[in-house]
Amino acid sequence: MGETTLTELGDRLLAASYLEGDFVLRSGARSSFYLDKYLFETRPDLLRDIAAGLAAKLAAYEPCELLAGPELGAVALVAALSLAALKPFVIVRKAEKEYGTRRLLEGRAEAGQRVVVVEDVVTSGGAALQAVGVLREAGLEVGAVLCVVDREQGGREAFAAEGVTLDPLFTATSLGIKR
């Protein structure tokens, strides 16, 4: 994906999902802006182009045998990236479901596989870090998290402390968001 295309994609993402107001984030922090992931993940044109951008980044993490996305926010993204990169994926649940298989991981994964986690918007990294823990507990190797937007509010450092690289398609700064 070229520089002009990436800039244009960032503009489209902001136009679709950037909201101003008083928001409480998953981390508990308050923010004057919010990037509503569902407003960009539910638009096929944006989802397709975001997946293409993430697929281009994925090449740096080969060999990668499996993708993973935390429920619910990253499921559409990891599915779109799976289609773009032709790689299988698993969904990482927040908690074990209380019926059926009672799994934390949905899909097929084998211990020792190299996994790249896909996330939507990262602030502190909480949901994706929880997913990394579940994946590692299952014997999978996780070295990278690809995300659509890094809000640049501690996520990169939190991942680094766990030996994981955070590789965003966009940062708040690159999108021109004033924090």
Side-chain angles (χ1 to χ4, degrees):
M1 181 167 281
E3 189 65 33
T4 303
T5 306
L6 195 57
T7 299
E8 187 252 345
L9 178 57
D11 291 345
R12 289 171 44 220
L13 183 143
L14 281 176
S17 65
Y18 179 82
L19 306 172
E20 291 184 342
D22 183 24
F23 302 96
V24 177
L25 306 177
R26 181 185 185 280
S27 66
R30 292 193 90 81
S31 177
S32 61
F33 76 93
Y34 187 70
L35 290 165
D36 188 334
K37 62 188 164 251
Y38 298 115
L39 293 177
F40 65 75
E41 289 181 16
T42 56
R43 290 206 14 208
D45 61 320
L46 280 171
L47 185 59
R48 176 199 60 219
D49 295 346
I50 288 167
L54 293 173
K57 287 188 162 293
L58 189 59
Y61 303 100
E62 291 294 352
C64 164
E65 300 157 297
L66 189 65
L67 304 171
E71 73 164 331
L72 171 70
V75 172
L77 285 171
V78 74
L81 179 55
S82 171
L83 290 168
L86 298 176
K87 292 194 182 282
F89 71 95
V90 294
I91 299 167
V92 184
R93 290 186 171 277
K94 294 176 186 144
E96 183 180 281
K97 65 181 183 177
E98 297 179 14
Y99 58 91
T101 60
R102 298 182 177 268
R103 293 185 182 154
L104 279 174
L105 290 179
E106 297 293 352
R108 295 204 184 274
E110 296 178 26
Q113 284 184 304
R114 290 178 46 117
V115 181
V116 170
V117 174
V118 181
E119 182 60 296
D120 42 51
V121 179
V122 169
T123 303
S124 65
L129 282 168
Q130 181 180 357
V132 167
V134 168
L135 293 162
R136 286 180 169 169
E137 222 172 88
L140 301 165
E141 295 178 29
V142 183
V145 172
L146 299 181
C147 74
V148 180
V149 180
D150 176 8
R151 289 176 57 108
E152 300 172 293
Q153 294 178 302
R156 181 178 301 276
E157 296 78 10
F159 286 112
E162 294 296 322
V164 177
T165 300
L166 176 64
D167 192 353
L169 195 55
F170 301 103
T171 62
T173 301
S174 75
L175 290 172
I177 297 172
K178 307 268 190 280
R179 294 180 285 122

